[in-house]
Amino acid sequence: MDWLQVAVLSIVQGLTEFLPISSSAHLILVPVLTAWEDQGLAFDVALHIGSLAAVILYFRHELIRMSISWAGSLRGGGMDQDARLGWWVLLATVPVCVIGFAFRDVVALGMRSPIIIGVSLIGFGLVLGYADWRRRHDGRSEYQLGLKDVLFIGGAQVLALIPGTSRSGITITAALLLGMSREGAARFSFLLSIPVIALAGGLEIVGLIREAHEVDWSTVVVGAVLSGISAYLCIHYFLIFIKRVGMQPFVVYRLLLGAWLLWLFW
């Protein structure tokens, strides 16, 4: 890979991992729309590590409180709001892990076409637009979720296995439909990304070890750093942006991109 490809793929991954516009769609589309060769598994791992480091660093204070309270709940120390949130994040991750592992070959080989991406961008974009339009101005935070809410959001997260859906997009959509605030929905979605990205990255590392290919460490390190920086900035400014403006600009972007893909590849 040349350095332009490294920079573009790293920044695209860092930005789209947390924006409701589908990172998988953009990472699939970049090589489709350019003459670039596949970046390889090692580089994919680096991009995931960068994004994971960014979200952990951004929510480090919440994660420390959640971890301490969650561990205390295992020892019978009671259930405060931080411990409960820790359990909710784990519980909401179970469906996508089970379904993703069971159907990983179908997802990897049979659903990564530009047509599927275009339809998903448009369809789930419209649902996001509706959810944001009907949201409550005094919506709940991530600390006010109940069991049924978590199961609904966790079930919705399974749809993110379809390229073009967007993991953050579908979980934010589900949370908004449940009456959460924009910021609360986004924050819970970002917390949910931590185990998902970690598990996905772990599977890629296993595959990388099995392949035993040579690794270009310079591109891997630069890719991880650029992905991490862009992801951290994305999280920070996205939370500010949606509080003031909302989700509709992302809905418009999804509709335009999806329509362009269908026109280009149908």
Side-chain angles (χ1 to χ4, degrees), residues 1-9 216-223 226:
M1 288 191 298
D2 59 33
W3 289 110
L4 175 62
Q5 183 178 359
V6 171
V8 169
L9 291 175
D216 183 351
W217 288 105
S218 60
T219 60
V220 164
V221 172
V222 171
L226 287 178

mmCIF file of all heavy atoms in Angstrom, residues 1-9 216-223 226:
data_model
loop_
_atom_site.group_PDB
_atom_site.id
_atom_site.type_symbol
_atom_site.label_atom_id
_atom_site.label_comp_id
_atom_site.label_asym_id
_atom_site.label_seq_id
_atom_site.Cartn_x
_atom_site.Cartn_y
_atom_site.Cartn_z
ATOM 1 N N MET A 1 0.833 -1.206 0.000
ATOM 2 C CA MET A 1 0.000 0.000 0.000
ATOM 3 C C MET A 1 0.867 1.255 0.000
ATOM 4 O O MET A 1 1.901 1.290 0.668
ATOM 5 C CB MET A 1 -0.879 0.040 1.261
ATOM 6 C CG MET A 1 -2.014 -0.946 1.276
ATOM 7 S SD MET A 1 -3.154 -0.600 2.631
ATOM 8 C CE MET A 1 -2.066 -0.825 4.041
ATOM 9 N N ASP A 2 0.405 2.271 -0.741
ATOM 10 C CA ASP A 2 1.104 3.552 -0.662
ATOM 11 C C ASP A 2 0.518 4.340 0.512
ATOM 12 O O ASP A 2 -0.504 3.971 1.091
ATOM 13 C CB ASP A 2 1.015 4.328 -1.971
ATOM 14 C CG ASP A 2 -0.422 4.630 -2.385
ATOM 15 O OD1 ASP A 2 -1.276 4.833 -1.510
ATOM 16 O OD2 ASP A 2 -0.693 4.656 -3.600
ATOM 17 N N TRP A 3 1.158 5.463 0.831
ATOM 18 C CA TRP A 3 0.764 6.202 2.030
ATOM 19 C C TRP A 3 -0.573 6.910 1.867
ATOM 20 O O TRP A 3 -1.282 7.141 2.842
ATOM 21 C CB TRP A 3 1.864 7.186 2.414
ATOM 22 C CG TRP A 3 3.077 6.488 2.943
ATOM 23 C CD1 TRP A 3 4.288 6.377 2.337
ATOM 24 C CD2 TRP A 3 3.174 5.751 4.167
ATOM 25 N NE1 TRP A 3 5.144 5.622 3.104
ATOM 26 C CE2 TRP A 3 4.484 5.228 4.239
ATOM 27 C CE3 TRP A 3 2.292 5.480 5.204
ATOM 28 C CZ2 TRP A 3 4.932 4.458 5.299
ATOM 29 C CZ3 TRP A 3 2.737 4.711 6.279
ATOM 30 C CH2 TRP A 3 4.028 4.218 6.323
ATOM 31 N N LEU A 4 -0.942 7.234 0.638
ATOM 32 C CA LEU A 4 -2.258 7.824 0.412
ATOM 33 C C LEU A 4 -3.358 6.827 0.762
ATOM 34 O O LEU A 4 -4.345 7.168 1.432
ATOM 35 C CB LEU A 4 -2.407 8.270 -1.039
ATOM 36 C CG LEU A 4 -3.801 8.807 -1.430
ATOM 37 C CD1 LEU A 4 -4.141 10.050 -0.615
ATOM 38 C CD2 LEU A 4 -3.864 9.098 -2.931
ATOM 39 N N GLN A 5 -3.189 5.579 0.345
ATOM 40 C CA GLN A 5 -4.164 4.545 0.657
ATOM 41 C C GLN A 5 -4.242 4.311 2.159
ATOM 42 O O GLN A 5 -5.331 4.157 2.727
ATOM 43 C CB GLN A 5 -3.810 3.235 -0.051
ATOM 44 C CG GLN A 5 -4.835 2.120 0.163
ATOM 45 C CD GLN A 5 -4.486 0.853 -0.588
ATOM 46 O OE1 GLN A 5 -3.478 0.792 -1.301
ATOM 47 N NE2 GLN A 5 -5.304 -0.179 -0.442
ATOM 48 N N VAL A 6 -3.097 4.286 2.815
ATOM 49 C CA VAL A 6 -3.065 4.110 4.269
ATOM 50 C C VAL A 6 -3.846 5.221 4.953
ATOM 51 O O VAL A 6 -4.677 4.978 5.838
ATOM 52 C CB VAL A 6 -1.601 4.094 4.779
ATOM 53 C CG1 VAL A 6 -1.568 4.142 6.305
ATOM 54 C CG2 VAL A 6 -0.885 2.850 4.283
ATOM 55 N N ALA A 7 -3.590 6.468 4.546
ATOM 56 C CA ALA A 7 -4.245 7.611 5.184
ATOM 57 C C ALA A 7 -5.750 7.594 4.941
ATOM 58 O O ALA A 7 -6.540 7.794 5.877
ATOM 59 C CB ALA A 7 -3.633 8.911 4.667
ATOM 60 N N VAL A 8 -6.168 7.356 3.707
ATOM 61 C CA VAL A 8 -7.593 7.385 3.373
ATOM 62 C C VAL A 8 -8.346 6.291 4.124
ATOM 63 O O VAL A 8 -9.379 6.547 4.758
ATOM 64 C CB VAL A 8 -7.802 7.240 1.849
ATOM 65 C CG1 VAL A 8 -9.270 7.004 1.536
ATOM 66 C CG2 VAL A 8 -7.299 8.475 1.129
ATOM 67 N N LEU A 9 -7.851 5.059 4.067
ATOM 68 C CA LEU A 9 -8.547 3.952 4.728
ATOM 69 C C LEU A 9 -8.590 4.136 6.246
ATOM 70 O O LEU A 9 -9.602 3.825 6.884
ATOM 71 C CB LEU A 9 -7.861 2.627 4.382
ATOM 72 C CG LEU A 9 -7.993 2.159 2.929
ATOM 73 C CD1 LEU A 9 -7.172 0.894 2.706
ATOM 74 C CD2 LEU A 9 -9.446 1.915 2.564
ATOM 75 N N ASP A 216 3.706 -5.478 7.243
ATOM 76 C CA ASP A 216 4.387 -4.198 7.038
ATOM 77 C C ASP A 216 4.081 -3.336 8.256
ATOM 78 O O ASP A 216 3.050 -2.660 8.317
ATOM 79 C CB ASP A 216 3.870 -3.542 5.751
ATOM 80 C CG ASP A 216 4.589 -2.229 5.446
ATOM 81 O OD1 ASP A 216 5.349 -1.753 6.314
ATOM 82 O OD2 ASP A 216 4.391 -1.687 4.345
ATOM 83 N N TRP A 217 4.962 -3.349 9.233
ATOM 84 C CA TRP A 217 4.677 -2.724 10.516
ATOM 85 C C TRP A 217 4.556 -1.210 10.423
ATOM 86 O O TRP A 217 3.842 -0.586 11.220
ATOM 87 C CB TRP A 217 5.750 -3.111 11.527
ATOM 88 C CG TRP A 217 5.630 -4.545 11.951
ATOM 89 C CD1 TRP A 217 6.424 -5.590 11.578
ATOM 90 C CD2 TRP A 217 4.620 -5.087 12.797
ATOM 91 N NE1 TRP A 217 5.979 -6.758 12.149
ATOM 92 C CE2 TRP A 217 4.879 -6.478 12.907
ATOM 93 C CE3 TRP A 217 3.526 -4.549 13.489
ATOM 94 C CZ2 TRP A 217 4.079 -7.323 13.677
ATOM 95 C CZ3 TRP A 217 2.730 -5.390 14.250
ATOM 96 C CH2 TRP A 217 3.010 -6.761 14.341
ATOM 97 N N SER A 218 5.215 -0.601 9.461
ATOM 98 C CA SER A 218 5.121 0.855 9.349
ATOM 99 C C SER A 218 3.696 1.268 8.975
ATOM 100 O O SER A 218 3.136 2.196 9.585
ATOM 101 C CB SER A 218 6.112 1.375 8.305
ATOM 102 O OG SER A 218 5.852 0.804 7.026
ATOM 103 N N THR A 219 3.083 0.600 8.005
ATOM 104 C CA THR A 219 1.709 0.942 7.630
ATOM 105 C C THR A 219 0.724 0.541 8.718
ATOM 106 O O THR A 219 -0.278 1.236 8.936
ATOM 107 C CB THR A 219 1.317 0.256 6.310
ATOM 108 O OG1 THR A 219 1.403 -1.172 6.458
ATOM 109 C CG2 THR A 219 2.223 0.699 5.173
ATOM 110 N N VAL A 220 0.991 -0.550 9.400
ATOM 111 C CA VAL A 220 0.110 -0.995 10.481
ATOM 112 C C VAL A 220 0.080 0.025 11.614
ATOM 113 O O VAL A 220 -0.992 0.393 12.112
ATOM 114 C CB VAL A 220 0.566 -2.373 10.998
ATOM 115 C CG1 VAL A 220 -0.074 -2.680 12.355
ATOM 116 C CG2 VAL A 220 0.207 -3.471 10.007
ATOM 117 N N VAL A 221 1.232 0.500 12.027
ATOM 118 C CA VAL A 221 1.311 1.458 13.133
ATOM 119 C C VAL A 221 0.683 2.791 12.735
ATOM 120 O O VAL A 221 -0.116 3.369 13.483
ATOM 121 C CB VAL A 221 2.777 1.665 13.567
ATOM 122 C CG1 VAL A 221 2.876 2.807 14.573
ATOM 123 C CG2 VAL A 221 3.330 0.383 14.174
ATOM 124 N N VAL A 222 1.021 3.285 11.556
ATOM 125 C CA VAL A 222 0.454 4.550 11.100
ATOM 126 C C VAL A 222 -1.061 4.431 10.951
ATOM 127 O O VAL A 222 -1.817 5.337 11.329
ATOM 128 C CB VAL A 222 1.094 4.983 9.763
ATOM 129 C CG1 VAL A 222 0.351 6.189 9.180
ATOM 130 C CG2 VAL A 222 2.559 5.312 9.964
ATOM 131 N N GLY A 223 -1.526 3.304 10.415
ATOM 132 C CA GLY A 223 -2.960 3.090 10.255
ATOM 133 C C GLY A 223 -3.691 3.101 11.586
ATOM 134 O O GLY A 223 -4.762 3.710 11.717
ATOM 135 N N LEU A 226 -3.706 6.813 12.982
ATOM 136 C CA LEU A 226 -4.631 7.687 12.256
ATOM 137 C C LEU A 226 -6.081 7.300 12.512
ATOM 138 O O LEU A 226 -6.952 8.162 12.680
ATOM 139 C CB LEU A 226 -4.332 7.625 10.756
ATOM 140 C CG LEU A 226 -3.063 8.326 10.270
ATOM 141 C CD1 LEU A 226 -2.888 8.129 8.770
ATOM 142 C CD2 LEU A 226 -3.100 9.800 10.611
#
